[in-house]
DNA sequence: GCTTCGGGAG
DNA sequence: CTCCCGAAGC
């Protein structure tokens, strides 16, 4: 079973690329972030034609998340981690006995900015939501966390030191999810530095591999047993295919046994 | 010899369509209007690859005209009809003994609007410019005139009566060019009503053929002798090809003998 | 409708 | 760099 996360930076601007990728890679579940559209604007038809169901928690212009899947979800919870959030940043489903969440965590703009305070508070809310489950629940919380775990995830740790996406309070929030009982799936397979999932559009980031690892699969114990790989499709980020214009994030795929 | 006029409504937004059309139809001269770009922004490379020279009188965001030709022009006069005009609406060349002008005449917005006064004054300037030549000069003044000659050029003459593009003062200015010695080339071949070159994007204008004839070839006596056809490529305006998004104007081609 | 722009966001 | 938007222009 394959579960992919992909911040597509506008599904309408990227529809063809996403559908081509989906057609070629056929993950069982595709978690999308930064749709930048409402449910009315979402291009369901293309996904339908490829046999994918889509549930979406949309928003005009900003944010917006969705989960596309070959099987119908058994349940859907939009507005994760809390329903009163006026930003659409999370949606969760149950599929084949696994709880899957697609998360677009706040960016925070810069350390100390009001958006940074919202980011930290948002992660506290995410922790609260997570705590409503048992750590024995098969779970995949995946998406764009907008936080690096440590300096191995950062191409230039000196430049990024205590900057947004890398500050200690942010990393504490991310590690609180680990402490609860989740595992950073990629690190089960590769402990090396220099593995990235996002590269800034500016400054030719992708050509010089100036990236960060901020898209993660956090998985609970029962899935740690089943995890066999995490794959980052850097070619899709780099790619000149399909009229150029890739997203600034690569698709990242968790492969589970069975 | 074929001389085409085409208001492309942004050459950057329409580059592929224009080049595909050019490659298929191979006119000797292509007069373009509403480039909406400066010379720096103009996509010369694609024209070059098809063997076309391009001279341009550009402007940021608005207006902008060009002439693409298989043969090099023997002379170029940008800023027609007068050099101090702060809007880039005309360029003229001499090619194979014929003076060719590509004109994007002012729209005028609505009768009585300041832009309407500018439109009338602009046509007076055009008449002055024209008067610097002999009517025996082989000339093609072509482009988007933003004026209909008479009600045969109007899909709904009642609705358009004395409206912008159809008002008596505008038609007088257009006829002043005829009185000087030019001929409306299309009417040499077809006197019927309902021949249009422009259809509003709104209200499904093209589907109901709710159009106007505002793109003209005005030709001098020596070319009246040589004219054999005027062809309007309505399919290109209608077309769903090349990722949709046609211009609101069709290409119009004058065919000359020799 | 469709294009341009500049401003805000990332 | 790339996206969104709301004006303005046609």
């Amino acid at each position: 079973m394959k579960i992919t996360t992909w911040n597509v930076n506008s599904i309408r601007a990227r529809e063809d690329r996403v559908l081509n990728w989906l057609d070629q890679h056929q993950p069982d579940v595709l978690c999308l972030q930064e749709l930048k559209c409402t449910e009315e604007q979402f291009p369901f038809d293309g996904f339908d034609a490829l046999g994918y169901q889509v549930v979406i928690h949309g928003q005009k212009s900003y944010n917006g998340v969705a989960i596309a899947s070959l099987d119908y979800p058994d349940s859907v919870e939009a507005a994760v981690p809390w329903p009163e959030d006026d930003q659409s940043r999370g949606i969760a489903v149950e599929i084949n006995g696994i709880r899957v969440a697609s998360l677009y965590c706040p960016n925070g703009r810069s350390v100390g900015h009001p958006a940074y305070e919202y980011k930290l508070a948002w992660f506290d809310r995410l922790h609260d939501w997570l705590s409503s489950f048992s750590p024995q629940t098969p779970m995949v919380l995946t998406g764009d966390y907008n936080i690096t775990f440590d300096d191995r995830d950062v191409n230039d740790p000196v430049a990024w030191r205590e900057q947004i996406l890398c500050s200690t309070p942010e990393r504490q929030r991310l590690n609180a999810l680990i402490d609860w009982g989740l595992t950073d799936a990629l690190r089960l397979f590769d402990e090396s530095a220099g593995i990235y999932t996002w590269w800034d559009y500016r400054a030719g980031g992708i050509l010089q591999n100036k990236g960060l690892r901020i898209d993660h699969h956090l998985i609970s114990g029962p899935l740690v047993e089943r995890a066999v790989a995490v794959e980052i499709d850097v070619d899709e980020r780099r790619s000149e295919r399909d009229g150029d214009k890739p997203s600034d994030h690569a698709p990242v795929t968790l492969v589970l046994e069975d």
Side-chain angles (χ1 to χ4, degrees), chain A:
Chain A
M1 184 182 190
K2 293 185 174 187
I3 300 174
T4 299
T5 185
W6 195 3
N7 178 322
V8 292
N9 187 15
S10 173
I11 188 61
R12 288 178 294 169
R14 216 83 59 208
E15 180 180 354
D16 288 352
R17 285 190 84 98
V18 171
L19 293 177
N20 286 348
W21 191 93
L22 199 50
D23 193 26
Q24 278 183 33
H25 294 83
Q26 302 272 332
D28 298 273
V29 180
L30 174 62
C31 295
L32 296 165
Q33 301 93 37
E34 267 203 283
L35 302 176
K36 294 186 173 180
C37 72
T38 62
E39 180 153 8
E40 289 69 42
Q41 297 170 317
F42 188 92
F44 286 99
D45 290 355
F47 287 81
D48 197 47
L50 296 176
Y52 283 84
Q53 319 302 320
V54 179
V55 293
I56 154 168
H57 182 43
Q59 181 182 332
K60 181 179 171 175
S61 306
Y62 299 107
N63 312 310
V65 288
I67 298 177
S69 55
L70 290 171
D71 294 330
Y72 280 92
D74 297 309
S75 73
V76 180
E77 181 183 4
V80 169
W82 83 102
E84 293 78 16
D85 191 357
D86 63 348
Q87 301 184 25
S88 298
R89 296 184 170 277
I91 189 169
V93 297
E94 235 178 336
I95 293 186
N96 300 331
I98 302 177
R99 189 159 298 264
V100 178
S102 176
L103 304 172
Y104 176 49
C105 309
N107 171 285
R109 298 201 60 172
S110 58
V111 175
H113 191 281
Y116 181 77
E117 302 308 322
Y118 170 75
K119 180 177 192 171
L120 299 182
W122 192 93
F123 271 93
D124 291 338
R125 294 278 198 166
L126 181 61
H127 189 278
D128 291 347
W129 177 78
L130 182 61
S131 300
S132 72
F133 299 94
S134 152
Q136 296 315 311
T137 311
M139 295 186 83
V140 183
L141 264 58
T142 189
D144 176 3
Y145 281 81
N146 267 319
I147 306 180
T148 55
F149 272 99
D150 56 51
D151 284 354
R152 293 175 301 172
D153 296 344
V154 182
N155 103 91
D156 183 347
V158 173
W160 283 93
R161 182 176 173 75
E162 292 301 334
Q163 298 302 302
I164 194 69
L165 314 184
C166 300
S167 74
T168 301
E170 292 170 271
R171 289 179 175 174
Q172 283 172 341
R173 296 309 189 287
L174 192 51
N175 277 300
L177 307 177
I178 303 300
D179 294 341
W180 178 84
L182 297 178
T183 296
D184 174 12
L186 179 123
R187 290 304 182 198
L188 294 171
F189 308 105
D190 194 335
E191 291 284 359
S192 60
I195 301 170
Y196 309 132
T197 64
W198 171 84
W199 296 259
D200 199 307
Y201 281 126
R202 292 160 290 194
I206 186 65
L207 295 171
Q208 303 166 71
N209 195 26
K210 290 194 170 178
L212 299 177
R213 187 173 74 97
I214 55 178
D215 301 272
H216 310 295
H217 290 84
L218 302 194
I219 62 179
S220 62
L223 297 187
V224 171
E225 313 298 315
R226 293 175 53 189
V228 295
V230 172
E231 298 161 349
I232 304 171
D233 188 352
V234 181
D235 274 352
E236 166 57 41
R237 169 61 182 86
R238 187 167 13 223
S239 165
E240 315 290 316
R241 290 169 292 169
D242 294 326
D244 272 359
K245 305 247 178 187
S247 168
D248 46 352
H249 294 251
V252 184
T253 301
L254 166 70
V255 186
L256 298 175
E257 249 172 356
D258 295 2

